[in-house]
Amino acid sequence: MSTIDKNLTSFINIATDSDFSIHNLPYGIFSESTDGKRRAGVAIGEHVLDLAVLEAEGLLSLDNGSYFDQPTLNAFIDSGRDNWTKARKIIQTLLSSDSDTLRDDQDLQKKAFFKQADVTMHLPVQVPGFTDFYSSKEHATNVGTMFRDPSNALLPNWTEMPVGYNGRASTVIVSGMDVIRPSGQLKPNADDRPIFSPCKRLDFELETAFVVGKGNSIGQPIAVDNANDHIFGMVLLNDWSARDIQKWEYVPLGPFNAKTFASEVSPWIVTMDALAPFKIPCPTQEPKPLAYLAEKDSNNSYDITLSVEILPENADSATVVCETNFKYMYWSIAQQLTHHTITGCKVEVGDMMGSGTISGSTPDSYGSMLEIAWNATKPVTLKGGETRSFIEDGDTVIMKGYSEKNGVRVGFGEVRGKVLPALSFDFDE
C-alpha cells in the first residue's frame, strides 16, 4: 500500500477541504470556452493546470510521443503505466513548494493555470464500451426484497460472480449536461396492454466507474492478480434509471431502454495511484470465490465517502438524501474486470465499468430513490417541505465523493445533472 507523504505541499493555495490536493492530481479534458480547443489538465485546488503548456515548454516529456494537446486522454492512458508514473511524479514535483520552476515563473503561471470556474469540462476519454455491474449486496438485497420473496432476495448466482450487463457507451455524458426525461413503454396495469408515456419513475443510481487503462486480446482473459495493472482510475457515475420502463422490459434479457439514455460521469479521473493509500479489504465473500476470482491481495477495495443531494428547481439549497461508502461493495473492481474477460472478451483503453448502485445497510445510506423511498411507499421530505419518491422535472441530482486519511484528502469533485421534461411526440403526423 502506498503511504502518504504529509510533508508534500504545494505553492498553490489549497483549502483543507479541497478534493484536489497535491496528493490527488486527477486528469481531465478542458477548454477555455464551450467550443474552444480541448486539451488535458489536472485539477489542483481551485485551478486547472494545463498539461499541454507544460509539454510544449519541455517540462513534461514522456516516452514515445506527445499526449496532452489532445481532445481526450486515451493516447496518454494507452501509453502505459511507466508514463502514468512518470507524469504523476513530474507534475507533483512542479507543483510542490520546494520546486521553483513554476513557483517563481509568473509568466508561465499565467499561461498554465486556469480557474476551474472559468473553463468548460468535457468527457475525459473516448469511451469504446460501457459495462454496468450489480455489486452491492445491500442494494441487490433491497431490490430483491421489494420485488421477490425476501427470503429469496439474492438469486443463487449473485454470490458466485460479479453480475453485470453491457450498456451503451454512446450515451456516457459528462457532469453538467442536462438529462431529458426518457419516454417508452410502461405497463401500469398488469391486465392491460402497455402504454407509451414519459417515464414516471425516474431514478438516480449512485455509482463509481473505473476506466480501463490497458486492454487485452480476444480470447485472453485478464488474471485477477494482474487486473489492477489494467485499471487507470475512477470517476463518479450517476447511472440514471427509468424504473417503470425497466420493470416492463427487463424480463427475459435484462435492462435495455431503461438504462440507455444517460450515464453521467464526473469530469476528473482520479488515478489508482492517488487512491492507493485508501485501500481496505472488501467485505467477507462467502462462499469463497472460485479460483479465477480469488485475489491474493486482501486490500482490494477503497474507503471512499459518497453522497447524493437533490436540488429542486428554484430551491435555495440542496437536500442530502444519501451518505454511503464504496467500501461496502461486495465484489472488487479487479474481480469485475477479470470476470468480464474470463470468456475471452476484449476490453479497450477508455472502457468504463460501473460499480452498480452503492448502498449501505441503513436507509440513509441507500444509493437510489427506489430504495430510499422504498418503491414510493416512504416519500422523502426535502428542505422547504417538498417530497420525493422519484426524481421530478427541474430537479438537479448532485453526487460527491472523496477519501480522507491523516489530514490528506483525495476527491472526485462532483457529478451533477438536471432533469428536463420529456420530449413531445405526435405519432399521427
Side-chain angles (χ1 to χ4, degrees), residues 167-220:
R168 288 290 299 173
S170 58
T171 38
V172 176
I173 60 175
V174 72
S175 173
M177 288 189 66
D178 295 331
V179 174
I180 298 172
R181 180 177 295 271
S183 296
Q185 286 197 22
L186 318 180
K187 201 168 190 296
N189 301 308
D191 296 332
D192 298 333
R193 288 196 66 198
I195 62 172
F196 179 84
S197 167
C199 164
K200 300 181 187 303
R201 294 192 161 201
L202 182 62
D203 203 355
F204 61 77
E205 291 186 352
L206 171 59
E207 304 191 25
T208 63
F210 66 82
V211 179
V212 172
K214 179 182 177 183
N216 63 319
S217 300
I218 291 177
Q220 299 296 317

Side-chain angles (χ1 to χ4, degrees), residues 271-292:
T271 65
M272 304 318 294
D273 285 340
L275 288 169
F278 308 99
K279 293 186 77 171
I280 55 173
C282 272
T284 301
Q285 296 179 337
E286 186 60 42
K288 290 183 178 180
L290 297 180
Y292 79 95

Side-chain angles (χ1 to χ4, degrees), residues 66-102:
S66 299
Y67 300 104
F68 299 114
D69 194 11
Q70 300 196 32
T72 72
L73 291 165
N74 292 61
F76 167 59
I77 296 172
D78 195 29
S79 73
R81 181 168 292 280
D82 287 347
N83 270 346
W84 309 347
T85 302
K86 184 177 180 181
R88 179 174 170 80
K89 184 176 181 180
I90 291 171
I91 297 165
Q92 214 163 42
T93 298
L94 287 170
L95 287 168
S96 72
S97 303
D98 297 333
S99 173
D100 59 7
T101 305
L102 266 176

Side-chain angles (χ1 to χ4, degrees), residues 42-55:
V42 295
I44 181 75
E46 296 179 350
H47 295 83
V48 179
L49 174 61
D50 190 335
L51 300 184
V53 168
L54 297 188
E55 196 170 51

